[in-house]
Amino acid sequence: QLALAAAVALIGFWPRETIETNIVFNRESAYGQIKVLDFGQRRYLLVNGTTQSLALLPSLKSDSPYSQVMELAAAARPDARRALVIGLGAGLLTQSLEREYNLTVDTVEIDPVVEDAARRYFAFAPKGNVFIEDGRGFLERTDRRYDLIFLDAFGGESPPFHLFTAEAFEAMRRRLAPDGLLAINLVSAVHGDAGKAWRSALRTLKSVFPAVDAYLASAPVEDLANVVFLAGSGPLPRTLPTSTRADIRKNISEALTRPLDPAGQSAALLSDDFAPMESLMAQTSARWRLTLQ
């Protein structure tokens, strides 16, 4: 039970302990069923039955180590001032980036009901702007430049396929400052054919960015884990400033000891003309759903 509870915090499995739950928000949107529930000492945001965000009560700070691993990008760029987060969830990543790194963060979220839930139940109140629109559409239309971009978007168990193509990554690169960094979270099976999702994302990123790293941001459970990618035009950080908060430093340091190497394993190059992310994620999605039963 303890291992499964830890898995919830890492990759969004449904909680299984026999603790009374309290559903505080339940609404259908144009994109799915949005729920907020309290479970023990945690508050969950669920989209179509899978956890998108997880916060501790009563602080409402993130309890997801992978999101802190993504913060390596911010810790490594102390002079950064503006960031973009694609995929709001409960707004915990945006809030942490503004609070811990003195950033002003713009956030893009396609579902207005998700924003409503974040503001009402997770104290989401950013300094930056919130754009209710498709993330790819925003990247293509805006002329804003950002020091950092974070991609953490899911519709249930799968990320939007059109945000993982070479053309999408090229749009992200255009929106980055010259020394900017891109951080991406993807829940994926790790090994074998089921691991083609993260390997294809990595191959596609490498076709656009000169420097790309991939790390296991959580220990695999049922061979599923959060994979965090870091991409940029120059050398990537592999150490942390000593000023980084202790718990964030711990999670990032652990991830840095788990780099992923796809050597010798097949992977697709994803493009707008060939973007089978949903089929690449099929085994991951099936395993993820089995844990909800």
Side-chain angles (χ1 to χ4, degrees):
Q1 291 286 1
L2 290 176
L4 287 170
V8 171
L10 294 175
I11 54 177
F13 294 159
W14 182 272
R16 291 187 176 184
E17 297 176 36
T18 56
I19 302 173
E20 183 178 356
T21 62
N22 177 27
I23 297 176
V24 298
F25 181 86
N26 184 5
R27 187 182 301 172
E28 292 286 341
S29 78
Y31 302 95
Q33 183 188 55
I34 314 301
K35 283 185 179 180
V36 177
L37 64 86
D38 291 344
F39 186 83
Q41 298 303 309
R42 295 178 174 88
R43 175 164 288 178
Y44 295 79
L45 172 70
L46 296 98
V47 177
N48 291 328
T50 57
T51 303
Q52 302 297 299
S53 297
L54 173 59
L56 292 169
L57 292 171
S59 69
L60 292 176
K61 291 184 178 180
S62 175
D63 193 32
S64 297
Y66 85 83
S67 67
Q68 294 185 339
V69 174
M70 295 181 78
E71 292 179 24
L72 172 59
R77 293 291 186 269
D79 295 331
R81 290 295 173 262
R82 295 200 65 86
L84 174 68
V85 171
I86 303 172
L88 172 62
L92 303 179
L93 178 58
T94 293
Q95 299 276 73
S96 183
L97 292 171
E98 292 193 338
R99 181 179 61 247
E100 300 294 335
Y101 306 97
N102 195 32
L103 290 162
T104 298
V105 183
D106 290 343
T107 309
V108 183
E109 168 59 47
I110 198 170
D111 192 339
V113 177
V114 168
E115 182 196 13
D116 182 38
R119 291 187 183 275
R120 291 172 60 183
Y121 297 102
F122 293 89
F124 179 60
K127 294 185 293 183
N129 298 301
V130 178
F131 299 93
I132 302 300
E133 61 181 288
D134 176 73
R136 176 72 179 275
F138 176 83
L139 290 167
E140 298 289 359
R141 74 163 181 81
T142 188
D143 59 0
R144 297 180 181 221
R145 282 288 190 100
Y146 295 96
D147 302 302
L148 305 164
I149 296 177
F150 299 83
L151 173 59
D152 188 17
F154 286 85
E157 310 89 46
S158 295
F161 68 89
H162 63 297
L163 286 171
F164 278 79
T165 66
E167 292 87 347
F169 294 149
E170 286 167 357
M172 294 174 205
R173 187 177 180 185
R174 289 195 299 272
R175 301 277 61 83
L176 278 172
D179 193 36
L181 292 174
L182 168 65
I184 298 174
N185 172 52
L186 178 68
V187 176
S188 175
V190 179
H191 299 102
D193 279 349
K196 285 183 177 179
W198 76 261
R199 295 197 301 271
S200 296
L202 181 62
R203 180 184 175 189
T204 306
L205 273 169
K206 286 184 173 181
S207 74
V208 175
F209 287 89
V212 183
D213 286 337
Y215 297 96
L216 281 179
S218 59
V221 177
E222 304 285 341
D223 199 45
L224 302 181
N226 290 88
V227 178
V228 167
F229 305 91
L230 203 63
S233 296
L236 299 177
R238 295 190 175 95
T239 59
L240 276 173
T242 55
S243 59
T244 308
R245 206 178 74 201
D247 58 331
I248 298 174
R249 186 179 184 85
K250 175 180 180 293
N251 286 318
I252 293 176
S253 297
E254 289 178 356
L256 290 173
T257 68
R258 299 189 293 245
L260 284 170
D261 183 358
Q265 302 178 83
S266 62
L269 181 64
L270 305 176
S271 70
D272 285 350
D273 290 331
F274 181 73
M277 179 56 83
E278 290 183 356
S279 63
L280 293 174
M281 289 285 293
Q283 292 186 57
T284 292
S285 299
R287 293 179 192 180
W288 197 341
R289 278 289 165 183
L290 283 172
T291 69
L292 308 184
Q293 298 178 358

